[in-house]
Amino acid sequence: MENVWIEPDGATDSGYTEDQLRRARACAEADIRASRAQLAARFSLGDVCAEIADGAPSDAAGALEQLAQQLGYATETLDTYLRVTRLAGTALRERLLASAIHVPWKCVTTACVTDPQERARRVQLLLERLGNAERAGWPVSLDASQFRLALGLTGGAEPPAEIVAQLGREEVREAVLAELTKSPAAVLAVLREPAVREVLKDQDVARYVRAQMRPAPSADEALLDELVGHEERDPHADWTIRYFGLVHKAREILLLGPEDFVDVNDPDVWESVESIRDSVTSWATRVLQQRPRTIRLLTGK
């Protein structure tokens, strides 16, 4: 083998000096130590969060939110530590922390997904790559992006099964609903899916969807009929509902009792009271002429 002399501060054929290599090695070792300590700390913090959540099952979210404020963390961060720590399990955590090869947190979060079958597949591949690195002595730290590529997760996309599994989490459902409501087209696309249309054949579900959509300004009844089916309506029942709604509004004036008028000196108010009395009496007399003879009034007349 040919011996090559390198000046102490001179550049090698690789383009760096011995001094640069020495400093880079020192920084890399410090980086790995810090990363390994960070992984252990996040698992331990996840354990603490699990203890708190288990101790306050009725308001676990509130307890974690308070803890996050005390620590200066986002609540979502603690939720992630808790979820990933639980999904990882003791055996995997001990295996990762005991290895001389560092496994980045991103690799752990990528492997520890909600769906059990998908999680088993990802953890198996992670351990295989970890074993290969240990036998080869290289790299000293697994690459998260290469791990995702090996899983087939190009472009950062998760498989549909994992996305669906995440809907069991309340914060994920809230985020999905918030995103959907930004785009009416997205809502319509979901409602028009054949599988969703099949579910909407259930009249109870259809009525619920219709009730939720009707409060929107200028509700499109034709679109509602298209999406959830035409609602069979009883015109007599609709008229009765409308009537009692108006009666309820009219009776609000009766909330004012005689004592409320003791200090009223405005002649317009007294004129209005007389007008209401005359109008109601006249209206009731005319309407009662239309009642069927088979219906008996409360007064017995």
Side-chain angles (χ1 to χ4, degrees):
M1 182 176 67
E2 182 180 0
N3 292 323
V4 178
W5 169 256
I6 301 176
E7 294 292 337
D9 291 324
T12 67
D13 291 341
S14 300
Y16 49 77
T17 66
E18 286 292 319
D19 178 64
Q20 290 169 333
L21 176 60
R22 175 184 57 77
R23 288 187 286 120
R25 280 176 173 165
C27 293
E29 290 172 358
D31 181 35
I32 294 296
R33 284 196 302 271
S35 297
R36 291 176 65 85
Q38 183 186 67
L39 181 63
R42 289 180 175 180
F43 281 144
S44 296
L45 187 50
D47 284 333
V48 175
C49 291
E51 292 176 12
I52 294 173
D54 293 341
S58 60
D59 191 21
L64 288 181
E65 184 176 355
Q66 290 294 323
L67 178 64
Q69 292 177 357
Q70 290 291 330
L71 300 179
Y73 277 58
T75 306
E76 292 76 10
T77 300
L78 295 187
D79 286 337
T80 300
Y81 292 174
L82 168 59
R83 177 174 55 84
V84 173
T85 298
R86 278 178 165 168
L87 292 173
T90 303
L92 177 61
R93 290 168 51 184
E94 291 179 349
R95 174 73 176 86
L96 299 182
L97 294 176
S99 177
I101 305 299
H102 171 57
V103 179
W105 176 251
K106 183 62 177 178
C107 287
V108 182
T109 59
T110 300
C112 296
V113 293
T114 308
D115 182 74
Q117 292 184 337
E118 180 64 15
R119 181 168 69 251
R121 181 181 80 89
R122 296 187 184 195
V123 168
Q124 180 180 1
L125 181 59
L126 177 63
L127 293 178
E128 288 176 358
R129 296 177 74 85
L130 179 61
N132 291 338
E134 288 172 335
R135 287 187 291 273
W138 184 91
V140 294
S141 178
L142 297 186
D143 186 278
S145 60
Q146 291 298 319
F147 176 52
R148 291 183 62 83
L149 286 174
L151 288 169
L153 302 177
T154 57
E158 290 285 351
E162 176 54 24
I163 295 175
V164 172
Q166 293 292 322
L167 292 175
R169 296 166 53 195
E170 181 178 356
E171 68 274 17
V172 173
R173 289 196 304 275
E174 291 177 351
V176 170
L177 289 173
E179 191 63 29
L180 277 176
T181 54
K182 293 179 183 178
S183 170
V187 177
L188 294 177
V190 171
L191 290 175
R192 284 180 170 132
E193 281 293 319
V196 177
R197 299 297 291 273
E198 187 67 26
V199 172
L200 290 175
K201 289 181 180 179
D202 185 318
Q203 289 302 303
D204 289 336
V205 176
R207 278 192 292 270
Y208 174 78
V209 173
R210 186 181 291 275
Q212 295 302 308
M213 295 179 72
R214 270 219 175 96
S218 304
D220 189 335
E221 292 293 334
L223 179 58
L224 283 173
D225 290 341
E226 176 195 342
L227 295 175
V228 300
H230 179 69
E231 184 180 28
E232 294 295 336
R233 306 181 70 89
D234 181 348
H236 297 291
D238 284 348
W239 187 93
T240 302
I241 292 172
R242 178 170 175 267
Y243 166 76
F244 280 109
L246 294 173
V247 168
H248 177 72
K249 291 181 179 179
R251 281 181 172 171
E252 290 182 2
I253 192 65
L254 301 180
L255 296 176
L256 294 175
E259 65 279 3
D260 294 308
F261 292 82
V262 171
D263 298 321
V264 174
N265 296 315
D266 188 340
D268 290 337
V269 172
W270 293 109
E271 184 178 339
S272 172
V273 172
E274 288 184 338
S275 176
I276 291 173
R277 179 197 62 191
D278 295 341
S279 296
V280 170
T281 301
S282 174
W283 172 83
T285 300
R286 288 182 286 110
V287 169
L288 288 173
Q289 292 175 358
Q290 304 300 320
R291 73 178 174 90
R293 295 301 178 185
T294 55
I295 297 180
R296 187 179 179 183
L297 298 179
L298 293 176
T299 58
K301 296 180 182 179

